[in-house]
Each structure stands twice: as C-alpha cells, then as structure tokens.
Amino acid sequence: CKVKRNGHWSTEIDPTYLIPGDIVEIRKGDIVPADIVLLSTNNLKVCNEELNGNKSILNRHEKPNEN
C-alpha cells in the first residue's frame, strides 16, 4: 500500500510494517490492514473473507470527526 509517514509519501510498504499514525492510500485489490480509520472514501466496498470467512460485500464509510 502507499503510505504517508512523517509528512512524506512512500511508494509501496508492506502492510505488516505500518505503524500508528501512518496515512494509507488504498486502491482496488489492495490488502488493507484491519486497524485503520477511514479519513475519506469514494464508494468503498470490502469483503472480509480473508479476515473472518464472511464472503458478503460490505459498504465502508469514513469515521465521523469526533471533535
């Protein structure tokens, strides 16, 4: 996945090397870390089959700002 860390974008980082505070850009087909917060989305649909065996396609939306 493409990651912004310390203000700089890196081309590709294996998701297992992500740390808290990283900003992740995901594209169709990317493997997504389970513990991310969505800052913005555009018609995002996910399948959790790899995570929990559920083959259902689910809509995902950004988390509301909690200020």
Side-chain angles (χ1 to χ4, degrees), residues 1-34:
C1 57
K2 189 173 177 182
V3 177
K4 186 174 188 180
R5 183 181 291 170
N6 298 324
H8 302 284
W9 285 100
S10 70
T11 51
E12 294 294 324
I13 291 184
D14 186 304
T16 59
Y17 294 108
L18 294 176
I19 60 173
D22 282 349
I23 297 175
V24 181
E25 178 181 280
I26 56 175
R27 292 174 295 247
K28 184 177 180 176
D30 282 350
I31 295 173
V32 180

